[in-house]
Amino acid sequence: MTETTFVYTIYIATTPEKLWEALTSSAYTAKYFFGSSIQSDWKEGSSISYSRNEEVTDYGVILKSEPYRTLSFTWTYAADKTVRDEPQKVTFELTPLDSTMKLKLKHEGLAPADLVEKEDTFEGINNGWPAILSNLKSLLETGTTLRAITI
């Protein structure tokens, strides 16, 4: 199986502390991540899960948790039917640039089926992550999310 990496970078007018909190707190993720709550103790080796309507949709294990700098974990989509040798891996890299934060997302270990080549959907890693991170940016900068970004 051919594996692919999806990389997306966004710049957000916020602080490292607020961005870290937004990535690791259900009070934020429920607003910008399609209604998903997040659960973990953020220690390396611990579990992480995203849930919607009290049902786990995605889960993994924390690989690296360096507050305000790096968050990395394995990623398994609960409904995924793709046969994989290893779980996918998601990494957030946070870089302060004066009063702006550079947030780089790297989602590794993707199969061709993980990418959806349609313009009018949030399905697929390549459509979902930009929508989620745009929603995060709007939330942190304005206090509200984008109305169109729901599933």
Side-chain angles (χ1 to χ4, degrees):
M1 172 168 65
T2 303
E3 292 189 355
T4 302
T5 297
F6 177 78
V7 178
Y8 190 82
T9 301
I10 194 163
Y11 297 85
I12 306 171
T14 192
T15 64
E17 295 81 9
K18 285 182 184 174
L19 181 53
W20 184 262
E21 183 180 5
L23 292 172
T24 61
S25 167
S26 287
Y28 283 92
T29 60
K31 293 176 184 174
Y32 73 82
F33 201 121
F34 301 128
S36 298
S37 62
I38 193 169
Q39 181 68 40
S40 183
D41 66 9
W42 308 111
K43 296 178 183 167
E44 293 176 14
S46 292
S47 64
I48 180 174
S49 65
Y50 289 87
S51 300
R52 239 177 281 148
N53 303 319
E54 299 189 28
E55 185 175 322
V56 172
T57 56
D58 308 277
Y59 59 90
V61 174
I62 302 288
L63 300 172
K64 186 173 184 179
S65 181
E66 186 179 331
Y68 321 123
R69 308 271 312 152
T70 306
L71 178 61
S72 183
F73 47 90
T74 62
W75 179 279
T76 300
Y77 173 50
D80 189 10
K81 304 288 188 236
T82 305
V83 177
R84 300 177 190 272
D85 295 332
E86 295 181 21
Q88 299 167 62
K89 178 179 162 186
V90 170
T91 302
F92 293 104
E93 295 175 3
L94 293 71
T95 306
L97 302 169
D98 294 324
S99 61
T100 300
M101 289 299 297
K102 176 182 177 183
L103 177 62
K104 180 179 177 182
L105 162 91
K106 189 186 314 183
H107 194 136
E108 301 174 82
L110 301 175
D114 296 323
L115 305 175
V116 175
E117 297 302 325
K118 292 194 306 188
E119 296 285 326
D120 60 346
T121 184
F122 298 130
E123 295 175 39
I125 297 301
N126 56 313
N127 296 310
W129 277 123
I132 291 163
L133 296 182
S134 293
N135 225 12
L136 169 61
K137 175 181 173 66
S138 292
L139 180 61
L140 289 174
E141 292 182 347
T142 71
T144 61
T145 58
L146 303 170
R147 294 195 195 285
I149 301 182
T150 59
I151 58 170

